[in-house]
Amino acid sequence: MLLPLVLAAHGVSAGDQVILSEGGLLAYVYVGAKHMITGYDHLLFLVGVIFYLTGFRDIVRFVTVFTIGHSITLIGATYLGIRADEHLVDAVVALSVLYKGFENLGGFQKWFGVKSPNLLLMVGLFGLIHGFGLATRLQSFDIGSSQFLAKIVSFNVGVELGQVLALIPIVLVITRWRGHRGYAAFYRAVNFYLCIAGVGLFFYQMYGYFG
């Protein structure tokens, strides 16, 4: 998180604008995939979700709900021109990372003495927020008026492809590690660092907003 280039990777680059301006719909697929693969905040949240799940069927179900959620707001908000400050949206996305790490560590039971909120519902809700964040990024590009909806959908398709490509090694590492004796320590450490990352990214985005 201390590397400016890593933190800037999630932003909008002039190079991507050139690709979109000179390419067709496949260029939007490419940039969407690239955006998700470098979208560390989205992927950190999904890491937290996958840690909580044990079966492949559950992983597919929850990732599908997340995908539907962010597809709705990505396509809908971009098409309707609904915008918000990208720093504020990404600050909420950062809080979703903190939330998932906190929940995985049993924070609701330990600190508040209550059960965690329904995970499937929360994944869907955070999916909507993550999608709104993606929409603010897409609207930062000059995509013109020609094939407007097709470009939005193509970008969304790229996001889904990038998400799948990024999740494959993540799922493999976590599922393979479950069989090792040190998994409990690994689980606690990763989710603790998810909390730290969520806090750090939140303050980074708030600094960007006020700065």
Side-chain angles (χ1 to χ4, degrees), residues 119-133:
L119 180 58
L120 194 63
L121 176 64
M122 295 306 295
V123 168
L125 174 62
F126 283 128
L128 293 171
I129 297 171
H130 282 239
F132 193 38

Side-chain angles (χ1 to χ4, degrees), residues 15-146:
D16 287 339
Q17 180 64 69
V18 172
I19 292 173
L20 295 181
S21 299
E22 297 180 352
L25 295 179
L26 286 179
Y28 283 83
V29 175
Y30 167 77
V31 173
K34 176 185 173 184
H35 188 82
M36 176 54 79
I37 291 174
T38 59
Y40 44 82
D41 44 4
H42 303 291
L43 296 179
L44 286 174
F45 175 75
L46 288 173
V47 166
V49 172
I50 292 169
F51 255 117
Y52 195 82
L53 307 174
T54 55
F56 181 75
R57 183 176 297 178
D58 278 340
I59 292 174
V60 172
R61 183 161 63 102
F62 278 80
V63 171
T64 299
V65 169
F66 180 76
T67 299
I68 292 173
H70 74 63
S71 295
I72 290 173
T73 45
L74 194 166
I75 296 173
T78 307
Y79 185 75
L80 296 175
I82 302 172
R83 302 189 66 172
D85 186 278
E86 62 186 43
H87 294 292
L88 291 180
V89 178
D90 283 350
V92 178
V93 171
L95 290 179
S96 74
V97 177
L98 168 62
Y99 173 91
K100 200 67 204 78
F102 180 78
E103 181 186 35
N104 287 352
L105 293 172
F108 284 97
Q109 291 85 352
K110 294 177 183 177
W111 291 85
F112 306 116
V114 297
K115 291 180 62 177
S116 303
N118 181 275
L119 180 58
L120 194 63
L121 176 64
M122 295 306 295
V123 168
L125 174 62
F126 283 128
L128 293 171
I129 297 171
H130 282 239
F132 193 38
L134 291 165
T136 63
R137 294 301 194 219
L138 180 55
Q139 291 180 79
S140 297
F141 291 111
D142 178 13
I143 63 177
S145 57
S146 175

